[in-house]
Amino acid sequence: MKPVLEEATREVYKAVLPRTMVVADLGCSSGPNTLRFVSEVIGIIARSCKELGVKQHEYPQLQFFLNDLPGNDFNNLFELVDQFKKSTTGNRQGEAQPPACYISGLPGSFYARLLPCQSVHLFHSLFCLQWRSQAPGGLKGSGKTHQDKGDIYITKTMSPSVVKLFQQQFQKDFSLFLKLRYEELVFGGQIILTFIGRKHEDVFNGEPNHLYGLLAQSLQSLVDEGLLKKEKLDSFYLPIYSPSVGEVVAIAEQNGLFNMNHVKLFETNWDPYDDSETDVVQDSVRSGVNVAKCIRAVMEPLIASHFGETILDTLFKEYAQRVAKHLEKEKTKHAVIVLSMKKEN
């Protein structure tokens, strides 16, 4: 996605030429990825200024807002920001750098207004837009039917009425997200979204169905062993929906707020440490552990709040084993959607 970020950032700067360029990273989490993004933007702006012949004292100031939910570990993030600033000071020999860069935390849901009207030049979000504002509304407080027993996400046997609730929640959330970001962007501003989707238009034929289906099976095994109450599982659905490219484009076009610059789907291995392009997993046990660690890092707060913390180690050990067995049979990949849009005058 680096070329998409490069093109969007350059276009915004050259079109608007702001004295202060405001950039927001939505769903930043508390690790180093958001600072890699910050570093990329700084480099792009520095190169653009140099190419345009902008004098050093006329370089724009950069204001970054790092956004996530209030429960995010912003303290850890701020420590990384401090290290980042120290490491980048005087560390760009031969490369121009904007004279000032300011980084602030911004707690809050991106399904609500975060910033003043027409104040942001560039929005970025990495692996967050598959998350919904809540589990499908129509499922709250309702027990699962026999057909949907044990399901926490869409499966081939799930009731069509329940699948429709997942889709409606996505349509509602994504439409709201686009409306809010449109209000916050300046004219000429751009938005870059990268998130987990699915390769096929058929909602029952999606890669996330396997990933979360194995988690559902692991939870069900804890119920069968008496470690978890059935009622707890029956009242749990993941607040996630991974759309197809067609669904994303349809909502963006229906809203009519942005011009679409770029939309593309690519695939990446479930195991983030497996960068091979073969269709065979070399070490399914190790990959199972790696996948389980990644999913636990993302899902742990949600699962702990609903089921309690005592089951976590047992659950994800079981999950790692089930993922390993799955990868022995089939090397499944994430489908990732990259979307770039512009707010026109």
Side-chain angles (χ1 to χ4, degrees), residues 11-282:
E11 279 191 13
V12 172
Y13 177 65
K14 290 179 180 180
V16 182
L17 292 174
R19 290 297 300 135
T20 299
M21 185 166 176
V22 177
V23 181
D25 187 27
L26 306 178
C28 64
S29 192
S30 57
N33 281 343
T34 189
L35 296 178
R36 293 194 183 105
F37 162 71
V38 169
S39 180
E40 287 287 336
V41 172
I42 290 173
I44 294 167
I45 295 300
R47 292 191 295 274
S48 296
C49 288
K50 194 172 182 179
E51 290 166 10
L52 291 171
V54 178
K55 296 178 180 178
Q56 184 79 32
H57 69 275
E58 294 178 343
Y59 278 16
Q61 300 179 98
L62 296 180
Q63 170 68 67
F64 290 93
F65 288 104
L66 308 183
N67 157 258
D68 213 313
L69 293 172
N72 185 53
D73 189 352
F74 281 99
N75 285 335
N76 184 69
L77 182 58
F78 293 150
E79 289 180 6
L80 292 176
V81 167
D82 188 51
Q83 295 169 19
F84 170 78
K85 287 183 175 180
K86 291 176 181 176
S87 68
T88 55
T89 302
N91 197 30
R92 290 177 175 268
Q93 293 97 343
E95 184 176 348
Q97 181 177 354
C101 169
Y102 304 93
I103 304 175
S104 303
L106 182 64
S109 169
F110 51 58
Y111 291 118
R113 274 292 298 272
L114 293 167
L115 292 157
C117 288
Q118 297 187 34
S119 63
V120 182
H121 297 90
L122 181 69
F123 276 114
H124 171 264
S125 181
L126 181 65
F127 295 133
C128 295
L129 263 292
Q130 68 270 12
W131 286 96
R132 308 278 49 86
S133 62
Q134 60 178 34
L139 299 177
K140 285 183 177 178
S142 63
K144 297 178 183 176
T145 65
H146 179 72
Q147 184 175 351
D148 302 323
K149 179 185 176 184
D151 291 341
I152 60 174
Y153 186 68
I154 296 167
T155 65
K156 290 184 177 181
T157 59
M158 180 174 274
S159 309
S161 59
V162 175
V163 174
K164 188 174 182 181
L165 290 174
F166 272 92
Q167 292 174 313
Q168 289 173 341
Q169 188 67 51
F170 163 71
Q171 292 160 6
K172 176 183 175 183
D173 283 343
F174 193 51
S175 295
L176 174 62
F177 177 88
L178 293 180
K179 175 179 177 292
L180 297 170
R181 303 296 80 82
Y182 181 84
E183 292 170 355
E184 293 164 340
L185 270 177
V186 302
F187 286 103
Q190 299 209 26
I191 180 169
I192 305 168
L193 307 174
T194 303
F195 52 97
I196 302 293
R198 67 175 191 274
K199 188 175 180 180
H200 305 283
E201 290 299 324
D202 180 6
V203 68
F204 293 103
N205 186 14
E207 300 74 15
N209 304 20
H210 296 298
L211 190 70
Y212 305 135
L214 293 168
L215 184 59
Q217 292 171 21
S218 302
L219 285 164
Q220 183 62 52
S221 72
L222 267 61
V223 172
D224 296 340
E225 293 172 26
L227 300 175
L228 201 63
K229 290 184 178 180
K230 177 179 178 296
E231 294 76 18
K232 278 288 187 181
L233 182 55
D234 284 347
S235 61
F236 182 71
Y237 284 101
L238 289 175
I240 284 176
Y241 183 78
S242 297
S244 66
V245 170
E247 286 176 304
V248 171
V249 171
I251 293 176
E253 291 180 345
Q254 181 182 339
N255 281 34
L257 298 174
F258 295 95
N259 281 3
M260 198 171 302
N261 295 333
H262 175 101
V263 59
K264 187 176 181 180
L265 182 143
F266 69 92
E267 294 180 285
T268 182
N269 294 327
W270 272 10
D271 181 354
Y273 300 101
D274 178 6
D275 56 2
S276 68
E277 296 182 5
T278 65
D279 292 328
V280 179
V281 176
Q282 298 300 323

